[in-house]
Amino acid sequence: MIVVSHDRELLDLVDQIADLRAGEITWYGGNFSAYEEALGTEQDAAERMVRAAEADFRKQKRELSDAQVKLARRKKYGQKMFEQKREPKIVMGARRRAAQESAGKHRILHEERLADAKERLDEAVEAVRDDDEIRVDLPYTAVPPGRQVLTLMDLELAYGARAGGLDLRGPERIALIGRNGAGKTTLLRTIAGELEPVAGEAVTHVPLRFLPQRLDVLDDGLSVAENVARFAPGATNNRVRARLARFLFRGARADQQAATLSGGERFRPRWPR
């Protein structure tokens, strides 16, 4: 039996964890807690590898720069000696060619070392996950304490749900909970003005935004960046991409077609708006 769930208690009862990432599956023995511990150990090692690779990359850049300075000095000195003609022309010409060949080999060696260091750094960075780096900055509420934000008066909703009288004052964070089909989404859509109540009234006293539960707000024919730009016409391309990067859609991933996104990924592009 394969279990796909967000229920951590349930996942702590399984025997193995299959980790799907970048098109490959890695198996971990044990339950979800054991998987998290093993993954944490792997990530600690990966981050150490990044730091070591960064240090080596900086070292190779310094050595290449130093080599280029030394080669420039040698070239300048050789040119000076050639101009002063202190030795026979044929001897000086042979020395110049030998020096140029040696300098070329020396430069190529350092460039290859730098390229190898960059490749190791890229591989090390790729091994570090950024799954937990989504950053959401929400401005502090502008609702003053005690401000009336919502009034429900004998509200009767579509599909038979009811909400009695309510006078809500802010600022507060409120979770709306209930069994499936109880009318939670219907109530929120009615408050947002998307549905007309059967009876009664819902009055909002402050600006309102509604983040829908549905995943059908994206145009599958557009890229991630284009979908966000659709809902933020005043934002520049740089701003759209900068915001998307905070939700792990960096670089070419922002140009990924919406049709190729997973359910969780489809939910992410809606937040930057």
Side-chain angles (χ1 to χ4, degrees):
M1 179 172 65
I2 297 178
V3 177
V4 180
S5 175
H6 291 285
D7 187 334
R8 293 176 61 95
E9 292 184 6
L10 175 61
L11 294 178
D12 267 339
L13 300 177
V14 303
D15 301 315
Q16 294 184 81
I17 294 292
D19 182 282
L20 176 62
R21 177 177 170 81
E24 296 182 356
I25 291 181
T26 303
W27 290 91
Y28 292 83
N31 59 15
F32 190 73
S33 295
Y35 157 75
E36 283 192 312
E37 184 176 349
L39 191 61
T41 301
E42 289 181 4
Q43 289 304 290
D44 288 343
E47 289 172 0
R48 288 195 297 271
M49 288 295 293
V50 168
R51 291 193 290 271
E54 286 176 337
D56 184 45
F57 181 66
R58 290 193 296 268
K59 175 186 174 185
Q60 297 303 330
K61 284 185 69 175
R62 286 196 304 270
E63 290 186 356
L64 176 59
S65 178
D66 292 344
Q68 289 172 334
V69 170
K70 290 178 182 177
L71 292 173
R73 288 174 180 169
R74 286 183 188 176
K75 183 178 180 181
K76 184 177 181 181
Y77 177 76
Q79 182 65 29
K80 181 179 180 181
M81 296 296 293
F82 186 81
E83 291 172 354
Q84 292 177 353
K85 298 182 173 56
R86 293 185 179 181
E87 293 181 321
K89 188 174 182 179
I90 189 171
V91 174
M92 297 186 68
R95 287 188 176 180
R96 173 186 281 184
R97 288 191 296 273
Q100 288 174 342
E101 291 177 3
S102 175
K105 292 178 181 178
H106 198 55
R107 185 186 68 254
I108 291 172
L109 175 63
H110 281 287
E111 288 176 348
E112 288 177 347
R113 287 179 178 176
L114 180 62
D116 289 342
K118 180 64 167 63
E119 185 176 348
R120 289 193 296 271
L121 176 58
D122 290 342
E123 291 175 354
V125 170
E126 185 66 24
V128 177
R129 298 190 179 212
D130 55 8
D131 305 19
D132 297 326
E133 293 182 2
I134 292 178
R135 300 184 300 280
V136 181
D137 292 334
L138 297 178
Y140 189 73
T141 179
V143 177
R147 171 70 180 273
Q148 190 175 17
V149 296
L150 175 65
T151 302
L152 303 182
M153 295 175 287
D154 300 323
L155 195 62
E156 183 178 345
L157 310 175
Y159 316 117
R162 295 176 179 273
L166 174 68
D167 186 14
L168 182 63
R169 296 180 180 275
E172 287 190 65
R173 294 184 177 91
I174 297 175
L176 180 61
I177 61 175
R179 61 176 176 78
N180 290 342
K184 302 185 297 296
T185 302
T186 301
L187 173 59
L188 293 177
R189 291 183 64 194
T190 302
I191 293 172
E194 292 188 0
L195 293 176
E196 288 292 331
V198 175
E201 190 176 9
V203 181
T204 56
H205 306 283
V206 295
L208 175 69
R209 296 293 182 272
F210 177 54
L211 180 65
Q213 183 178 341
R214 303 187 317 275
L215 298 178
D216 57 2
V217 296
L218 299 180
D219 185 334
D220 286 343
L222 300 178
S223 69
V224 174
E226 289 169 339
N227 267 287
V228 174
R230 256 194 328 141
F231 294 97
T236 64
N237 182 58
N238 286 342
R239 178 167 175 78
V240 168
R241 290 179 177 274
R243 297 291 291 178
L244 281 171
R246 298 172 68 85
F247 290 81
L248 311 186
F249 290 106
R250 301 186 179 94
R253 293 205 63 196
D255 296 316
Q256 185 175 342
Q257 291 291 302
T260 66
L261 300 179
S262 68
E265 288 174 327
R266 288 179 69 86
F267 196 79
R268 274 191 250 157
R270 304 187 303 171
W271 277 92
R273 303 199 306 269

